[in-house]
Amino acid sequence: MKTSIENKLRTLQPRHLEVVNESYKHNVPAGSESHFKVTIVSDQFNGKRLVARHQLVNNILADELTHSIHALALHTMTIEEWHDTGGKHKESPPCLGGSKAERP
């Protein structure tokens, strides 16, 4: 799944692309590929608002989002924004686990 995501997102000609399988952080069977974090830097995001960037990525990954991916954290940036972060992305928050009924 990770390779499929990377290959599809290469259509955006990214200057930086990182796809991380974070499934191990969640209550899923070992070896699952259902929770991903994508950090992508592309000139195609220039002049686009965050929601338009996410829509672009979601459209590219529509089949995976429909059938395989349960959660997708997106960090979509222009090259200037990427430089402003020092080439770093935010860490994903810890999984709260289970359903709302199981939470305090």
Side-chain angles (χ1 to χ4, degrees):
M1 181 59 56
K2 178 180 184 271
T3 302
S4 175
I5 293 168
E6 289 169 339
N7 289 337
K8 285 190 170 189
L9 291 179
R10 282 197 176 88
T11 62
L12 294 173
Q13 301 172 322
R15 293 181 180 231
H16 175 80
L17 175 62
E18 183 178 0
V19 178
V20 179
N21 180 356
E22 296 188 325
S23 301
Y24 71 93
K25 294 181 174 182
H26 301 272
N27 187 19
V28 296
S32 291
E33 292 185 290
S34 57
H35 295 68
F36 289 89
K37 175 173 61 177
V38 171
T39 302
I40 183 168
V41 179
S42 174
D43 292 337
Q44 293 192 35
F45 297 145
N46 291 344
K48 288 185 172 57
R49 293 179 182 258
L50 189 60
V51 69
R53 299 174 189 185
H54 286 207
Q55 288 169 336
L56 184 59
V57 171
N58 288 342
N59 287 338
I60 292 170
L61 300 177
D63 188 56
E64 289 78 3
L65 289 166
T66 300
H67 298 105
S68 306
I69 297 175
H70 174 74
L72 182 63
L74 295 176
H75 303 279
T76 55
M77 293 175 252
T78 65
I79 192 68
E80 292 81 16
E81 292 165 340
W82 179 244
H83 287 299
D84 289 347
T85 69
K88 298 184 191 287
H89 53 77
K90 296 178 183 176
E91 292 299 318
S92 297
C95 177
L96 296 176
S99 68
K100 288 181 182 178
E102 295 175 356
R103 294 184 200 144

